[in-house]
Amino acid sequence: MRSLPGGPEMKAPALNAIKSAAHPSVRPLRFAHLQRYGLAALSVGSALAAGLLLEHFHFRVPSALLLLFAVALSSWYGGRGPAVLAAVLSIITFYWYFVQPVRTIYIDPSEIPYFITFVSFVALLSWFGTVRRRAEKALREQANLLNLTHDTVFVMDMEGAIQYWNRGAEGRYGWTAEEAVGKAVHDLLKTAYPVPQEQIKAELIRTGRWEGELVHARRDGTPVIVASRWALQRDPRGTPVAILETNNDITERKRGEEALRRLNRELRAISNCNQVLLRANDEQSLLERICRIVCEEAGYSLAWVGYAVDDEAKSVRPVAWTGAEEGYLASARITWADTDRGRGHTGTAIRCGESCCIQDFAADPRVAPWREDLLQRSFRSGIALPLRDEHNDAFGSLTIHSAQPNAFTPEEIRLLEELAADLAFGILTLRSRTARKHAEQEVALLSFALDNVREAALLIDDAARFHYVNNEGCRVLGYTRAELLGMSVPDIDPEFPAGRWSDHWRDLKAQRSLNFESRHRTGDGRIFPVEISANYFEYGGRAYNLALVRDVTQRKRAEEALRLSNAYNRSLIEASLDPLVTIGPDGRITDINAATETATGGSRRELIGTDFCDYFTEPAKARTGYEQVFREGTVRDYPLELRHLDGHVMSVLYNASVYRDESGQVIGVFAAARDITERKRAEQALRQREAYLAESQRLSHTGTWVLNAATGNYVYASEEALRVFGFDPQKGPPTRDQLYERIHPEDRAGAKQASERMYREKVEADYGYRLALPDGTIKHIHAIGHPVLDENGQVTEYLGTIADITDRKRAEEALRLSNAYNRSLIETSLDPLVTIGPDGKVTDVNAATEAATGRSRSELIGTDFCDYFTEPAQARTGYEQAFREGLVRDYPLELRHRDGRVMSVLYNASVYRDESDQVSGVFAAARDITERKRIEEALRRTAAYLADAQRLTHTGAWAGDRTTAPLYWSEEVFRIFGFDPQQGLPTRDQPLERIHPKDLDKFLQGFHRTINEKVDSEDEYRVVLPDGTLKHIHAVAHPVVDPDGELVEVVGTVVDITERKRAEEALRESEMRFRTFVDHAVEAFFMLDFEEGTIIDVNRCACESLGYTREELIGMNPMSFDVDLDRATVESMAERAAAGETVLFDRHWHRRKDGTLFPVEVQTSVFWHGGRRFLLKIARDTSDRLRAEQQRDRLRQLEADLAHTNRVSMMGELAASVAHEVNQPLSGVVSNASAGLRWLAGDVPNLEEAREGLRRIVRDGKRAGEVIARIRALTRKAATPKEKVDLNETIREVLALVGDEAKRKSVIIRTQFADDLSPVAGDRVQLQQVVLNLVMNAIEAMSVVDERARALAITTRNIDPDQVQVTAQDSGPGIDPQTIDRIFDSFYTTKPGGMGMGLSISRSILQAHGGRIWATANHGPGTIFHFTLPKYHLEEINAEVASV
Amino acid sequence: MLKSRASEAVIAVVDDDLSAREGLSSLIRSAGLQVEVFASAQEFLARPGAEAPSCLVLDLQLPGLSGLDLQKQMAGVGLEIPIVFLTGHGNIPASVQAMKAGAVEFLTKPFDEQELLRAIQEAIARDQRTRQQHAEIRELRDRYESLTAREQEVMQQVISGLLNKQIAAELNITEFTVKIHRGHVMRKMRADSVADLVRMAENLGIRSLKRSDQI
């Protein structure tokens, strides 16, 4: 037992509070007996002592009062026992006190009232004590109960200080009673009130009670939700003194409720999400809507989806979010790498692929990098859910944050994971849908692109097989695509025998791409050269080669043409008027042209093989020149004299260059001579005249001197000459040495050399030097010396002039400097520039000109510029034009290089003028257009070849606009339409007028089709030329469209096929005449070879009736169209016919080519002709006769048909009726349920209406059930009676039923029955229905087949000891393997009007019989149906019957 | 606004199947509309009451007179009730025929509740429009009949676009008299302008004088 804590002064109010508590359960109090009784004795003793003490100090207090006090005290604290003890002791003391010194019990009568009063007081006190003890005991028991309860009970005073604290409170809040008492409740529990505290107090004081829910904090801070009841304690005066608070912990309940609410919310969210997923068609909006639902419906504060990015940082890219994001995602920099920023929940979820939940952001170390951000946005917990792809790898995460810590219970996590899985599935579905769409588009685009390229594209695998061929490929190779796909490279490329492919593949794989030339063979065996670009790539784990093939026939042809053009050059050489010769390395002539023959007088035959030097006047010089050519590669203008056989000499300038073989080896010299005999003669005359002229000029202007050739002394010097040299004219001419002294020391040696050369070689000297006169002046001198010859050619004296040119030199120097700048500009030009003087001589050139002509500047200057062109005359004309007009632009010329190379140039030339504005020359700049020329030439040649090709094939090419007006016609088109190419293109209507009027519409239709539908059109039509010539034209038109699909123009070809037409026409006519005769018979004639049995000839009627052409029929055996003929019949017929009988079959069936049958009467007889036996068959169509017969049969058959139709249509009616019957109540159910929902959804739910609706739903539901039950009952009624059934017989019965139908549909039914077929157990009628169903299906399926026989084969056999199998094999179109498993499902049908019940019912029947049915694809066309049935066993049936 | 009018609207349901009838009735009532049910077309035609229902929810397959027959018959007597057709198993020709004849909607059982209610609302709206138009025409006719014969004559001329002068000549009266008649016409017809008057005349089916008459 424990006492109440705290001192006795606190007990009273506490106990009082307990007493008024609703659940008083305060623990009882305890007092040791010894202590209690001791207290009684002590208090009495103390009272006595006190009395004596007071008396001793003369302070007399009635002792009885003190004793009474002692008794009261004992009674109060000790209880009844101590009270009695105290009373007895008091009485004894009293006695002693009052009765002293009397020793006996005697009471003075005067004392009696006093005594009585005392005793009654004592008794009263004792009674009080007893009552109180009893109350205390009750209280103790109650206090015990209070401590036993788990409820929290505590008492506080009006100021909130705790006064009592039970054990429940200790346990709940973690504070012991000792710690709690005396403290303020508010400090201790941090109570959160739902309403203001004042309001609670007010209510408490008004009513004395208050109840409500509070949130308290435990000692460790965790919150506790309690249902709190307060009771007010008043003291007897009614003043409130204390509050008793009793609390029940409802935290768990609250939490449970909260969790439930949240779960509900989440379930709702998931359901909404799933609806979003179903409808989503765009990933971003899906993610955003899911996030929004998670936030808004499930009540989370943030939901976001991040995708794992496969970059270096492994970052997580937020793609969608909703909620209090506030820039958190942008700054979070979350990754899924195993780093600090990757160990958060999102990172972990993506990395591990498991959901990761963090229950408290404030405490969890994993969110350290973001803690501040998270808490700032009131996120307290979060979960990341991985979004996993089909390989179960996480590609992103759905992260959800909650404002509550510990917000995610396992149940919620499970739901959220489900949501995330659904979301991931949704995303992947969307992506795969998008990807598939993309892929489809790409494939379509690719194959479209490949099909439209003008190169053949072949996709080849490593085994050289073709996997894809584009349209161009098919066209070029002349195969259909299907054919090519079954072929491999060796089939089309003779260069690639099977063995070479693997080497080629290895090379290709190593180099990835190869370009090479090869040859391809087309379907019709033509081989053409191709250029192939093979490209290796791998796709889907397999290697492929995409080969682009270009037909290079045209290029090859061009190369061929080039070769031809060499021959052309040869003829040019021959035509040259200059003697041309080729010389071998040994110096012997290898070839010459006609001009050489003329020049030498020898024939070609004579000249070839001889030494070329023999034909020159100076053989040695000729040889030197020849050797120079060999050494330097070329020689230009080498002067030689050619001697003619008749002795006359021709001066020539030889240009020679070596020519080389392909390997660059010199194999000879090509030399061209130019006859310069005349030129030489003219030059000679000119030189003489010039000499005289120059001489007199010089003599008249400058100082003159004469030197005696014999003495070497000056015999004469003019005054002017002496004056120039600074000599005194009076002293006469100086000596040569004196003269030399006056020459500038630097120039002295040069001057001496020049003059000595003049003396020695007797040539004119022209030189300049400077004079350094004694007075220091420097003079520039121009000196000319000239030997004077006598009649014998001997030099007698030298005559010369000197001119002082100092002033001129100075001016020249200045000019030279100013020119240097222009010069450098000109030099840097890449175009050949040249200046030409008025006399046509080159005055200057730049470096580019040197390069173009192969001559140095010094060589060029002063020569006639015309010489450097292939056509000097034209050059001169141009030059003159420039002179005349001042300017020439783009003047075409050909510049000849020293080595013979010709450069086509365009010249721009303009005159330049001197100061006096006199034209002083022409400045010409050339532009190299060799390349351009070459291209133009090539173009021209190509056009020429095309024209040739067209002319040869009678093919013309044309282009026209959309009005048919011609834009371009090749020459051949002109020819075909009879127009003159010189007149230019005809107008739109001119060619149309030449089209045969009857064909004009056809032509225009085709053309308009090409324009409007943008497709190729191909037509044949006739053209009538003005002279009446009729031509047959085959025309092809092809639309040219721009990338926007707009028609640009129409191009096409026309081919003159008149010859071909004419040949065909002739053939047809003869054929017609030949056949007219026989073909007028109305019966079909067949002439057969007796031995072979094959057809030799037929007439028109035979062809028409059977639908075959004559060609097809010849060689046929009648058995192939006469369905009733078999070998045995044919043999017996032949036998009878051979015996002279005319065999008649009055009811045979012939099958037309289209598969339809018709009845015929056939007469067969033998006749002899030319020693051979023939069979003549005459067949007469008896369809009409038969039709009448059939009409009668039809009536008979009608009954059977009706039964059949009934059976077929019954099912349809049944199904429709079932649908209707069930649909009505179903519709009622839906209406009522919808209405019910609406009644309940109103502001005031209308329960009565809703209830009524539910009742009706129940009724309608039952009604629907009854309908179904009725149907079931209907089918159950037909429980299968088992009897012994012979399947062969059953099938025969069915075939008898459908025989006519089969014949009508031209279906041949063959049966192959096992003779020993075991009987089966079952219902004959039902099994008949199964067979009927299969047969009818087959007949119907084959009704679309025209190109082959319609055959149905039914086979029966025993397959194992217990099973019998029936197969029905048709030749119909077959069943798609994709759906072959579904055909037995109810309501599955491929027939337009079918119910889809036949096979389903068949299967039910067979299953009821213990058998099964299935279908397989036929090896050829068609389908095979199989069904099995167990064999008939008497015992089993009996057993079954017995068990039933 | 539509809602308040709609709540006064009466919807007639004709369906031979009890379940369907009750379900439809409950459903329509739950949407706050008044409903009357009939088991056959004949029953519906024998319906007492002057005010026609605003919408007819009609089953296609009815015993006796079929839904389409009823539609045809109603059209024959000028009864313009918008019809929502229901059918157990719809066939295209029937739905085409129904829609061509002006049905609001053609629903296949079991139908979507929303779809039906939407169709009914549309029918009611259509009915409101029709009724309003009829009321307007009636009002116009009353006004027109309040005109005297002369005024009607003048009105005929005015809407044909004739000037007062021309009308005067045509009717052989003074221009001043024409003006007075014209003022009466405008006032009685409550027309704001001649254009207004022409529109009214059109609604009343009064033809302007043929051009050929004028020439």
Side-chain angles (χ1 to χ4, degrees), chain A residues 1154-1155 1340-1350 1371-1374 1421:
Chain A
D1154 62 10
E1340 229 167 294
M1342 286 187 287
S1343 64
V1344 298
V1345 173
D1346 288 327
E1347 68 275 20
R1348 54 178 179 267
R1350 301 171 180 177
S1371 63

Side-chain angles (χ1 to χ4, degrees), chain A residues 990-1049:
Chain A
Q990 282 172 335
L992 294 184
E993 282 162 7
R994 301 213 169 161
I995 292 173
H996 196 288
K998 281 184 181 167
D999 292 345
L1000 188 56
D1001 278 352
K1002 187 168 76 173
F1003 165 76
L1004 289 176
Q1005 270 168 18
F1007 195 84
H1008 287 135
R1009 215 164 68 82
T1010 304
I1011 289 167
N1012 297 330
E1013 299 172 26
K1014 301 189 182 62
V1015 294
D1016 287 0
S1017 64
E1018 200 167 336
D1019 265 329
E1020 283 186 10
Y1021 53 90
R1022 286 164 292 174
V1023 166
V1024 186
L1025 300 191
D1027 62 4
T1029 315
L1030 183 78
K1031 285 181 180 179
H1032 288 269
I1033 305 296
H1034 178 95
V1036 180
H1038 170 75
V1040 178
V1041 292
D1042 65 13
D1044 300 332
E1046 284 303 309
L1047 186 88
V1048 178
E1049 59 182 24

Side-chain angles (χ1 to χ4, degrees), chain A residues 406-441:
Chain A
N406 303 313
F408 301 98
T409 63
E411 188 66 12
E412 282 173 55
I413 291 176
R414 196 185 57 71
L415 285 175
L416 289 172
E417 279 173 345
E418 201 173 295
L419 169 63
D422 290 351
L423 176 58
F425 175 76
I427 293 169
L428 293 173
T429 309
L430 271 182
R431 283 188 187 169
S432 71
R433 204 186 301 159
T434 316
R436 197 173 61 231
K437 212 177 276 173
H438 267 291
E440 279 168 5
Q441 274 171 357

Side-chain angles (χ1 to χ4, degrees), chain B:
Chain B
M1 189 162 165
L2 185 70
K3 194 114 189 168
S4 70
R5 278 195 307 215
S7 62
E8 295 155 20
V10 174
I11 314 297
V13 172
V14 184
D15 196 321
D16 59 318
D17 190 78
L18 179 68
S19 305
R21 219 155 52 223
E22 287 177 350
L24 281 167
S25 162
S26 180
L27 188 57
I28 295 167
R29 275 186 292 113
S30 74
L33 299 163
Q34 295 179 47
V35 65
E36 291 176 15
V37 294
F38 304 94
S40 68
Q42 288 83 348
E43 203 176 300
F44 170 72
L45 289 173
R47 167 184 182 274
E51 186 76 357
S54 298
C55 169
L56 181 55
V57 178
L58 186 54
D59 190 47
L60 195 67
Q61 295 89 12
L62 287 173
L65 207 56
S66 84
L68 288 175
D69 293 340
L70 179 57
Q71 185 184 29
K72 218 177 290 169
Q73 225 171 70
M74 278 163 58
V77 299
L79 200 51
E80 286 184 60
I81 306 175
I83 300 177
V84 176
F85 271 105
L86 300 178
T87 176
H89 40 273
N91 56 38
I92 292 168
S95 67
V96 169
Q97 195 187 336
M99 295 307 280
K100 266 191 178 168
V104 176
E105 186 63 275
F106 194 93
L107 298 172
T108 306
K109 290 181 187 176
F111 44 79
D112 184 58
E113 146 221 6
Q114 296 293 350
E115 232 171 310
L116 176 72
L117 292 177
R118 189 193 46 67
I120 288 176
Q121 292 294 0
E122 193 188 320
I124 292 171
R126 198 187 277 187
D127 184 54
Q128 294 283 1
R129 280 197 300 277
T130 315
R131 280 169 199 246
Q132 200 174 331
Q133 275 166 12
H134 283 199
E136 273 171 23
I137 302 258
R138 218 165 21 244
E139 165 72 19
L140 274 181
R141 193 157 295 284
D142 288 349
R143 286 185 214 163
Y144 182 70
E145 274 158 13
S146 72
L147 299 182
T148 63
R150 186 52 118 183
E151 282 163 357
Q152 284 180 1
E153 234 173 326
V154 170
M155 175 170 164
Q156 172 95 5
Q157 306 277 358
V158 169
I159 61 165
S160 308
L162 268 63
L163 298 174
N164 287 348
K165 214 183 287 174
Q166 291 171 303
I167 298 170
E170 188 79 22
L171 300 181
N172 210 7
I173 51 179
T174 66
E175 195 179 337
F176 180 73
T177 317
V178 171
K179 277 182 187 170
I180 291 175
H181 283 314
R182 189 174 177 150
H184 285 167
V185 168
M186 295 299 278
R187 187 172 49 74
K188 283 185 178 171
M189 289 305 287
R190 290 182 220 156
D192 296 332
S193 60
V194 175
D196 206 11
L197 192 69
V198 170
R199 189 184 54 77
M200 288 176 182
E202 252 170 38
N203 283 344
L204 282 170
I206 302 171
R207 313 290 304 171
S208 66
L209 291 174
K210 290 268 164 54
R211 195 163 289 274
S212 58
D213 298 342
Q214 290 173 30
I215 297 167

